[in-house]
Amino acid sequence: MNLKSERRGIHVDQSELLCKKGCGYYGNPAWQGFCSKCWREEYHKARQKQIQEDWELAERLQREEEEAYASSQSTQGAQSLTFSKFEEKKTNEKTRKVTTVKKFFTASSRAGAKKEIQESKSPSPSINRQASIETDRVYKEFIEFLKTYHKSGQDIYKQCKLFLDTMNHKRDLSIEEQSECAQDFYQNVAEKLQTRWKMPPEKVEKAMDQIEKYIMTRQYKYVFCPETTDDEKKDLAVQKRIRALHWVTPQMLCVPVNEEIPEVSDMVVKAITDIIEMDSKRVPRDKLACITKCSKHIFNAIKITKNEPASADDFLPTLIYIVLKGNPPRLQSNIQYITRFCNPSRLMTGEDGYYFTNLCCAVAFIEKLDAQSLNLSQEDFDRFMTGQTSPKKQESDSWSPDVCLGVKQMYKNLDLLSQLNERQERIVSEAKKLEKDLIDWTDGVAKEVQDIVEKYPLEIKPKNQALAAIDSENVENDKLPPPLQPQVYAG
């Protein structure tokens, strides 16, 4: 396929990467095309609307219940008594809720919660040994970093400790609600650093990176791919989809990368390594750094191949090719984790946000990839997806001179595998046919024997008596003349 073929399913306008509300920040498919800020605004509006509707529904149902109960009473006194009981119950419920909230923020309850947290952390040292080593290292680095901030550092540490204690009490909340708590924490700390401590933006960003690293290292095992979500199910679906697309070639995606060039081949290997390494990181910022490094290797590979700077139309198909070739583990879980718990400012602007948005687009494209996207007929696409056949090897005279030798060898191997697969299917089919014929022949012979036995049954007769002498019944034996005797002739 010519590299200049029409990109019908891969091209994405860069304006589509921005927030659909027009604020200028990068959007995200996980936020329905909004940026982090606009998504939270829309989420709060929808949530407040839902709360208001639920409250109105509850009031309406309560009112209908009261009216139905009141209509069953015979006197007005009974009705007033019912209403007074309802008001008393409602007042007691409000008082109980206020008392509970006050107890939650008292010093004794915090001390008790701290004691419970320490007790819950004490058991199972063998399970969390490796995690605790990294946690201790990050804790020491965080303390050393805060020493340079003096009083503001103490305030930062108190805020982080309070947030971690709060998150420990909210383990039963949904992951979306925990994500909202983390985003609120990031926003509040950043605003306090700017307004109260008058820090410049560069210093605030550096502090927020350290804060994110500290709290997310502590929270990683609780909020990454939790059991209450379907993240693991999505991971398996994406992995299965990528495996089914193993036959997709760079030519089909119009990837402008020549892996025959050693330097380009090294860049491709490094890009695949970076995108796979993302799963080993615990901090959202570190995962983003892996995506950024992968993307920069892609741009360098395109630049070396084309001998000119890469464009966005070249980058996205190549990123899709890298994802298909690398099949990163737990891809959807990592994307969801970054979306939920990364510092939102990194996803809204900058190269990290740009590359992360492109990765989300690449995954979405892979999930919806069809025959039109690869310039194939639907029949060929279906046969390739089901494994009935593989893309045919191109003739030697149709190869462009800059095509990688590895690609040619790959097509040759695919052709051989296709032939072997056809032969194997034919042998299996013939073996099954032979097995059926043997079974039919055995059944036929058994049936013929059974029919003959039924038609000519075997009869066992008694043993015959010995035959009598030929003259045994001749009663006149005595009257017969004696037998002739031989005479000697003397002549």
Side-chain angles (χ1 to χ4, degrees):
M1 182 184 294
N2 190 348
L3 296 180
K4 296 182 179 179
S5 299
E6 182 183 4
R7 295 181 176 90
R8 290 181 291 179
I10 301 178
H11 174 73
V12 175
D13 192 350
Q14 295 304 296
S15 61
E16 299 178 9
L17 302 179
L18 300 177
C19 176
K20 65 181 184 181
K21 202 170 183 179
C23 64
Y25 295 118
Y26 290 119
N28 192 290
W31 298 325
Q32 300 180 4
F34 293 102
C35 67
S36 175
K37 181 180 179 181
C38 296
W39 165 249
R40 294 186 66 196
E41 293 176 355
E42 296 294 327
Y43 176 78
H44 281 297
K45 289 180 181 178
R47 188 175 181 182
Q48 292 297 329
K49 182 179 178 182
Q50 184 65 37
I51 293 174
Q52 182 65 26
E53 291 177 354
D54 293 343
W55 179 257
E56 292 176 356
L57 177 61
E59 285 187 338
R60 182 170 60 83
L61 294 175
Q62 182 67 31
R63 186 166 55 252
E64 292 176 356
E65 183 179 356
E66 292 174 5
E67 292 175 355
Y69 181 79
S71 62
S72 63
Q73 304 299 316
S74 58
T75 61
Q76 185 67 25
Q79 294 180 2
S80 61
L81 180 61
T82 302
F83 183 77
S84 62
K85 287 184 177 180
F86 171 72
E87 287 294 330
E88 181 180 359
K89 182 178 180 181
K90 188 174 181 181
T91 304
N92 293 337
E93 183 69 19
K94 288 183 179 180
T95 306
R96 185 181 63 82
K97 289 183 178 180
V98 172
T99 305
T100 303
V101 173
K102 288 182 178 180
K103 288 182 178 179
F104 180 80
F105 289 101
T106 56
S108 59
S109 64
R110 289 199 299 268
K114 179 179 179 181
K115 183 177 180 181
E116 292 177 0
I117 295 169
Q118 292 176 350
E119 291 177 354
S120 63
K121 291 181 180 179
S122 58
S124 65
S126 59
I127 298 177
N128 301 323
R129 185 178 295 113
Q130 183 176 0
S132 63
I133 294 175
E134 184 175 357
T135 302
D136 292 340
R137 179 180 59 80
V138 172
Y139 173 75
K140 293 177 181 178
E141 294 177 357
F142 187 59
I143 295 299
E144 291 297 325
F145 171 78
L146 293 180
K147 289 180 180 179
T148 61
Y149 282 68
H150 306 294
K151 291 184 178 181
S152 60
Q154 297 178 2
D155 188 27
I156 293 174
Y157 178 76
K158 290 180 181 179
Q159 295 292 329
C160 293
K161 190 174 183 300
L162 179 61
F163 170 76
L164 292 174
D165 292 342
T166 303
M167 292 296 289
N168 286 332
H169 286 287
K170 295 183 178 182
R171 292 276 182 260
D172 56 339
L173 296 181
S174 66
I175 194 65
E176 286 77 15
E177 292 174 322
Q178 295 184 51
S179 171
E180 186 179 359
C181 292
Q183 299 297 327
D184 290 338
F185 171 73
Y186 288 141
Q187 183 177 359
N188 294 334
V189 173
E191 290 178 354
K192 182 174 291 187
L193 293 177
Q194 291 176 351
T195 57
R196 180 177 178 180
W197 299 104
K198 308 299 181 181
M199 289 186 184
E202 298 80 9
K203 200 171 183 180
V204 171
E205 183 178 357
K206 189 176 180 180
M208 293 303 301
D209 290 342
Q210 292 296 326
I211 292 172
E212 178 189 316
K213 182 178 181 180
Y214 172 64
I215 64 173
M216 295 316 303
T217 301
R218 299 280 298 271
Q219 295 294 314
Y220 176 79
K221 64 180 180 180
Y222 303 111
V223 298
F224 180 83
C225 191
E227 297 179 354
T228 56
T229 65
D230 58 350
D231 292 351
E232 185 176 2
K233 183 179 179 180
K234 293 180 180 179
D235 290 335
L236 296 176
V238 171
Q239 281 196 344
K240 183 178 179 181
R241 176 70 172 175
I242 293 176
R243 287 173 187 155
L245 294 170
H246 68 277
W247 48 270
V248 177
T249 63
Q251 287 76 21
M252 293 179 180
L253 295 172
C254 301
V255 175
V257 170
N258 184 8
E259 296 186 64
E260 187 178 0
I261 303 175
E263 192 175 357
V264 174
S265 179
D266 291 341
M267 292 292 178
V268 171
V269 172
K270 290 179 180 179
I272 294 174
T273 303
D274 290 332
I275 197 68
I276 293 176
E277 187 182 3
M278 174 179 62
D279 186 60
S280 65
K281 305 299 182 182
R282 299 167 65 89
V283 183
R285 177 173 172 267
D286 294 340
K287 292 181 181 292
L288 276 179
C290 291
I291 299 174
T292 301
K293 288 191 296 182
C294 169
S295 302
K296 289 184 176 180
H297 288 313
I298 291 174
F299 273 107
N300 290 333
I302 298 173
K303 182 179 180 181
I304 295 172
T305 301
K306 299 181 66 175
N307 199 21
E308 62 181 16
S311 64
D313 288 339
D314 295 330
F315 169 68
L316 184 57
T318 310
L319 179 60
I320 294 171
Y321 171 67
I322 294 297
V323 174
L324 289 175
K325 196 170 182 178
N327 196 0
R330 301 193 292 186
L331 183 56
Q332 283 287 5
S333 292
N334 283 288
I335 290 177
Q336 292 294 333
Y337 176 69
I338 294 172
T339 303
R340 292 165 180 159
F341 296 101
C342 184
N343 185 2
S345 62
R346 285 197 169 274
L347 300 183
M348 295 166 60
T349 58
E351 60 180 8
D352 288 342
Y354 173 77
Y355 294 138
F356 178 72
T357 304
N358 274 273
L359 177 62
C360 295
C361 292
V363 175
F365 173 82
I366 291 173
E367 292 176 338
K368 299 178 182 179
L369 188 143
D370 55 11
Q372 184 181 5
S373 304
L374 300 175
N375 297 334
L376 296 173
S377 64
Q378 189 63 42
E379 181 181 0
D380 290 341
F381 181 82
D382 293 338
R383 287 191 294 113
F384 295 158
M385 288 295 293
T386 56
Q388 297 178 0
T389 184
S390 59
K392 294 182 178 180
K393 185 189 71 169
Q394 299 185 16
E395 299 298 332
S396 59
D397 56 351
S398 65
W399 290 103
S400 58
D402 59 343
V403 173
C404 176
L405 292 176
V407 174
K408 297 180 182 180
Q409 184 64 35
M410 180 188 67
Y411 272 105
K412 182 179 180 180
N413 294 338
L414 288 174
D415 187 53
L416 291 175
L417 288 174
S418 178
Q419 295 177 12
L420 290 174
N421 185 44
E422 293 176 359
R423 290 174 59 185
Q424 183 182 7
E425 291 178 354
R426 187 164 56 252
I427 291 173
V428 172
S429 177
E430 293 294 334
K432 290 182 178 179
K433 185 176 181 299
L434 178 60
E435 181 183 10
K436 184 177 181 300
D437 292 342
L438 288 173
I439 294 174
D440 294 342
W441 178 80
T442 304
D443 294 341
V445 171
K447 187 176 184 304
E448 290 179 1
V449 171
Q450 184 67 24
D451 293 341
I452 292 174
V453 170
E454 292 177 356
K455 186 175 181 181
Y456 304 103
L458 180 64
E459 295 181 2
I460 301 177
K461 296 181 179 180
K463 187 177 180 181
N464 295 331
Q465 297 180 356
L467 294 176
I470 213 167
D471 295 332
S472 62
E473 296 180 0
N474 192 346
V475 296
E476 298 179 353
N477 277 343
D478 297 338
K479 297 180 179 181
L480 291 175
L484 296 177
Q485 298 293 330
Q487 300 292 326
V488 178
Y489 178 73

